[in-house]
Amino acid sequence: MARRWFLKMTGATAAMLPWLGLPRFAEGSAVQRPVGSLPVAASRHTLWYGTPAPESNVLREGLPIGNGRLGALVGGSPVRNFLYLTDASMWLGKGDVLLGDDGQFEYTTGHFGSLVMLAKLYMSIEGHEAANITGYRRELDLGQGCIRVTYQKNGVGYACEIFASHPDDMIAVHLSQTGGGVYNGSIELQGMHGEAARHEAESASSHFEGVLDNGLKYAANIKAVAASGTVTTDAKGLRFANCEALTIIFCGGTNYTPDPAMSFMDASLDSLKLSVKKAEAAAKHTPAMLLHTHVLDYRSLFDTMNVDFGASTKAQREMDTWARLQARAATGSPADPELEASYLQFGRYLTIAGSRDSLPTGLQGLWINNNAPPWMADYHSDVNIQMNYWLPDRAGLPSCFDALTDYCLSQVASWTAMTHRYFNDPRNVFRNSSGKIAGWTMGISTNIYGGAGWRWHPAGNAWLCNNLWQHYQYTQDRNHLARIYPLLKGACEFWESRLLTITVTDPQTGVARGVLIDDADWSPEQGPLDAKGITYAQEWVWDLFENYRQASSLLSKDADYAASIAQLQARLYLPQVSPKSGWLEEWMTPGNLGETRHRHLSPLVGFFPGDRIRLDDSPPALIEGVTKLLEARGTSGYGWACAWRAICWARLKKAEKAYQLLLTNLLPSKNHSNGTAQNFFDVYNLSADSDAFQIDANYGTPTAMLEMLMYSRPGLIELLPALPKAWAASGSVTGMGARGGFQVDFSWRQGKIASVTVRSIGGEQTRVKCSAWTKPIALHAGASVTIDPNNT
């Protein structure tokens, strides 16, 4: 069965892949090996190309793989392939705080640090120059989590398969052929920090180890396993000759540990010994079993959600991915719903590949091409890391959210100490006027050692808590709620010490009253640095207090403190609609103190991702203020900004406006323009001759797609709130997460719901709504109900 599956998916012949037998795995393995056949792939979700990916354009054309900790960008030609390898914890920098003359954080690679590469792996194959090659095809199969390259040379078929296995914690490259060919060539493992690799002929391996300036120890190891022929060593690495098939196993890592008590480094961990051990363990098993183990593990996540926006044409399917992107962008081109569904699934793929059992994904995830990535590839807390984690719960991947929770819990002790010692520094324009300090906050940029960079970010604590709280709303996991409770409470304590009392006069009644506002702050990333009561902070503090009160009640903890927080919440100033602009105000002033078309939607955080302002029960004047501000921001810009705008338009049920922003992000990036690169990475322009990859749009745009199909909050699931005409003919979604503790499957025909099934994963009661009908449902955990939309 597995052989038939693979041949069906690749179009190979049975003779081409003799290695695909599936023997039972050896007894005593540390990895639980699957037994049985491989499932059938959803082959339409495959990115494919008829040309190699040049190393000079690796970030735009290299294909990404990852197991949640190790990642690689894969490219090259048949004569010389490459993998650019990264470990999520391969970080320069420190956790100690260094303030500048303005009381803000030192933000340099030397002190704050940066994510950097671990290694490069090159594989050269003799005689496979372009002139000798026909039928070249390179693909990323999203349904299997694998890269495949196939071509022919002198009547022999050659295949290369590359995947990153989470169970085996390694990256594998497997070469095979059919027709009597053999492989001759070399393998070179290059360190990225001046290391000299050592080569061992007896074990057919190369490895290196090193120590960064901050004391982080790291290592990398490759092992080659040949089905026939020989593997020897030379001065540069490994050489292979007369090999009918060859497998290369890469393992590597650092001694990082998410424990501030150990200064985030485990001195007892031998990274090299562990890497060698993992490679040796993997090498004991056939490449088929390694693939089999990987695919079943990967698909246990990927298959939790299926998405269908309708059928594309035969002509569209026959185009390679880059040609297809360009055709979709051409004026008057027809919709390509399968391409758009693949873009959504690519976001889910990156979530699985980048966020499992390790650190969360930062600005570039696990995929960088040098040791100086833009903005250090750090964690930005004024939308970017939050946007990265809007997708998992909606997209049937709740376990992929855990990396963010674990990161926040590992950092909060350091953030708390930093806040108490440095936030009220007299040079810090954001300091608390009261002189009081409590709880914790953070910097706009954070690293993995408890450190912060660029500016202080007072409301960053509340926004992170919003992500953590909404994960609970999706999962109803009380253990998660208990884990994050101290973060919510500590953030409340910070704001309890920070809020100022001022008097305002109600413009309608003329009555004066005392309200609580944020101290000196800025509206990210614009405006004056000393504005008080900015909308961004007011909304996030209201949201934090609301979520904390609910958490306190659910866990039966700190009732008296929750009551005091409720009193503070009731006194918070809530933003108004400006009589001058008609927009929801961004500052406590009728005037606009920043850029009208600014990339950030900071004033709208109470609308999304917050819930205070809601289309169905907020005053119409407030919704009008939201709408007008959103209109003023425009419909172009950076990918993450367009994704955020699209979600807000979906919340306003303006389907075509939301859809147009999706198409803006899908525009093919050329000459460093904003848009989608050949490999589906979102890039945006930095200057006339440069651009940057930033992963948040690859997560935010799929989130917008899902918000167009379903809006949820505890007590309400609304279907098809913003279905665009391009998807209206027919479609379906299975496994979509809904707040309140539910999963939903639904389909539609001609813009109307055709079927709905709701499953409880902990939720008990909600209402399902679509257009004119509403259906209350009550379920116990594990139960489901199917609703007949014709009988509601």
Side-chain angles (χ1 to χ4, degrees), residues 469 473-474 476 550 611 614 712-717 738-742 765-767:
W469 168 256
Q473 289 184 314
Y474 279 101
Q476 301 293 292
Q550 293 187 46
D611 285 313
R614 304 194 297 211
S712 72
R713 65 174 187 258
L716 177 64
I717 297 171
R739 285 193 287 168
F742 300 95
Q765 294 184 340
T766 191
R767 291 179 297 127

Side-chain angles (χ1 to χ4, degrees), residues 477-508:
D477 182 348
R478 290 293 183 96
N479 290 330
H480 168 78
L481 185 59
R483 293 182 73 206
I484 69 169
Y485 179 82
L487 280 85
L488 271 67
K489 185 177 180 182
C492 287
E493 290 169 343
F494 174 81
W495 283 98
E496 186 181 20
S497 71
R498 176 169 173 78
L499 291 171
L500 303 176
T501 301
I502 67 167
T503 300
V504 298
T505 300
D506 189 305
Q508 303 298 322

Side-chain angles (χ1 to χ4, degrees), residues 582-584 596-598 600-601 603-604 607 623-635 641-642 644-652 654 657-658 661:
W583 311 341
L584 183 68
T596 297
R597 301 174 71 86
H598 195 265
H600 280 262
L601 289 181
L604 298 188
F607 184 61
I623 298 300
E624 182 70 10
V626 167
T627 304
K628 287 187 175 181
L629 187 142
L630 190 57
E631 288 173 340
R633 282 294 200 261
T635 56
C642 289
W644 196 358
R645 286 157 169 74
I647 297 170
C648 288
W649 282 119
R651 285 275 172 104
L652 288 169
K654 301 297 184 181
K657 287 182 177 290
L661 283 156

